[in-house]
Amino acid sequence: MADKFFLEVVTPQKAVVSEDIQSISAPGSEGEFCALKGHTTFLTSLKTGAIRYKDASGNERILFVSGGFAEVLPDKVTILAESAERSQEIDLGRAKEAQVRAEQRLRDKAAEIDIIRAEAALQRALFRIKIAGTH
Ligand code: ATP
């Protein structure tokens, strides 16, 4: 069995994950990264997307994540995210409503700043919908 190391995922609202894991992959802003115990130390910002990890018993887990940073140390990964939810915590109806609102704003040809915000909101909604469908 793979060596275990610790994963902590925290948002301004709550601690989402705090447990031993066997492996993790996450959407770094420079690209997807994977880590096992003993990984070299590095720090990266995060994009919107999915964090996948194997828990201590080898079960595959998936989280939605948006924004923030990941710190990888040989025996611990810490993720400080703007928002993060376990797949089963995602409110699918809310995400679909967010998708409709964002698409409406994009159709309205708003000012550039609103388009950037609407595109980011749409991306969050689409990832939430995809990840909610995985459990
Ligand atoms: P909304 O417009 O529905 O608020 P959003 O993408 O703007 O969506 P965020 O800013 O990413 O929302 O998150 C705000 C808070 O609401 C966070 O605590 C996040 O975990 C939670 N959240 C947002 N959408 C969902 C969802 N579909 N299911 C569960 N929690 C959600």
Side-chain angles (χ1 to χ4, degrees):
M1 199 196 275
D3 283 347
K4 297 183 192 77
F5 58 114
F6 203 70
L7 172 64
E8 196 119 46
V9 180
V10 182
T11 73
Q13 281 80 30
K14 59 179 176 172
V16 182
V17 178
S18 188
E19 65 184 76
D20 276 332
I21 64 166
Q22 298 184 13
S23 60
I24 182 169
S25 69
S29 48
E30 305 295 315
E32 187 82 10
F33 69 87
C34 299
L36 296 169
K37 185 177 169 70
H39 199 291
T40 337
T41 298
F42 77 98
L43 184 66
T44 179
S45 53
L46 293 171
K47 293 193 291 198
T48 297
I51 292 176
R52 293 183 171 79
Y53 66 93
K54 248 186 209 175
D55 71 13
S57 313
N59 301 307
E60 297 275 355
R61 305 285 181 200
I62 181 161
L63 304 174
F64 166 82
V65 69
S66 180
F69 293 88
E71 180 194 52
V72 178
L73 301 174
D75 59 353
K76 184 175 182 184
V77 173
T78 305
I79 295 186
L80 304 176
E82 284 165 25
S83 46
E85 299 114 40
R86 291 179 181 271
S87 57
Q88 65 272 22
E89 290 168 354
I90 294 173
D91 178 338
L92 188 56
R94 177 174 170 177
K96 286 183 175 169
E97 284 171 15
Q99 176 187 5
V100 170
R101 277 199 310 277
E103 285 173 343
Q104 186 60 52
R105 271 185 254 135
L106 290 171
R107 271 197 299 272
D108 287 348
K109 295 195 171 40
E112 197 181 335
I113 183 70
D114 294 325
I115 290 177
I116 292 166
R117 285 176 59 179
E119 279 170 349
L122 180 58
Q123 219 189 5
R124 291 195 298 276
L126 294 177
F127 269 110
R128 281 184 170 116
I129 291 165
K130 192 169 155 195
I131 292 167
T134 62
H135 71 270

